[in-house]
Amino acid sequence: MICLNNEKETILLAEKLANIAKKHDCFALYGDLGVGKTAFARGFIQSLSPEHINIASPTFPIVCPYELPNLKLWHFDLYRLKNSAQMLELGLEEALQEGVALIEWPENAENYLPEDALSLYFSIGEADIRILEIKGNAQWMERLKQIF
């Protein structure tokens, strides 16, 4: 478990994870409203861009693609997803073949997530501190050793 005392710490962690991201990666961001998922996603995406870009939450379009210098990235927000079958229409397969997928509210499409997704569980602890639990397979745990 990781304690994130403020949004800056959330963004710093996102930047570290972005540094080890590679094609075919899926980051599944779990947690209630207001726990830091979108702040994490913004920090992740911004750290991969050489210039400042406006990163809107994809709550209404559901997915926002980004053409970054070294990587294509799709930011999904599945909060409003009506049924998980819509994932095929949203381009998750394309995202995972061509780049990286960041997925907020992944529980709304569990059947479509890759088995090797890195799962990030955000929650709020005492004194409004964010708690992050990271779960992944053995390959992810090896990669995470680079930043922890």
Side-chain angles (χ1 to χ4, degrees), residues 12 17 19 51 57 64 87 97 106-107 143:
L12 288 173
L17 286 171
N19 285 333
E51 57 191 47
S57 176
C64 291
M87 284 306 297
Q97 288 176 359
E107 56 271 33
R143 289 171 63 191

Side-chain angles (χ1 to χ4, degrees), residues 15 18-19 42-55 66-71 73:
E15 291 171 353
N19 285 333
R42 284 186 178 129
F44 189 103
I45 296 164
Q46 191 63 61
S47 72
L48 295 172
S49 177
E51 57 191 47
H52 180 75
I53 54 177
N54 183 27
I55 301 165
Y66 296 92
E67 291 282 340
L68 302 167
N70 299 316
L71 193 64
L73 186 140

Side-chain angles (χ1 to χ4, degrees), residues 30-146:
Y30 294 87
D32 291 333
L33 289 169
V35 294
K37 297 182 306 290
T38 301
F40 175 92
R42 284 186 178 129
F44 189 103
I45 296 164
Q46 191 63 61
S47 72
L48 295 172
S49 177
E51 57 191 47
H52 180 75
I53 54 177
N54 183 27
I55 301 165
S57 176
T59 300
F60 291 102
I62 301 179
V63 62
C64 291
Y66 296 92
E67 291 282 340
L68 302 167
N70 299 316
L71 193 64
K72 288 184 180 181
L73 186 140
W74 283 260
H75 181 195
F76 296 86
D77 184 330
L78 306 181
Y79 183 74
R80 295 182 328 106
L81 197 68
K82 302 234 185 295
N83 65 62
S84 62
Q86 287 180 295
M87 284 306 297
L88 298 176
E89 298 168 21
L90 294 174
L92 179 61
E93 289 179 4
E94 177 187 355
L96 293 171
Q97 288 176 359
E98 296 183 15
V100 169
L102 277 177
I103 305 174
E104 295 185 55
W105 301 97
E107 56 271 33
N108 292 342
E110 286 288 338
N111 296 335
Y112 293 93
L113 297 180
E115 289 181 16
D116 62 348
L118 184 67
S119 298
L120 305 166
Y121 296 89
F122 292 84
S123 61
I124 299 178
E126 292 181 26
D128 209 32
I129 292 175
R130 286 356 188 223
I131 308 293
L132 177 63
E133 185 177 351
I134 301 175
K135 294 182 181 179
N137 63 20
Q139 291 174 342
W140 268 115
M141 293 304 116
E142 275 304 307
R143 289 171 63 191
L144 291 173
K145 286 180 184 178
Q146 297 173 41

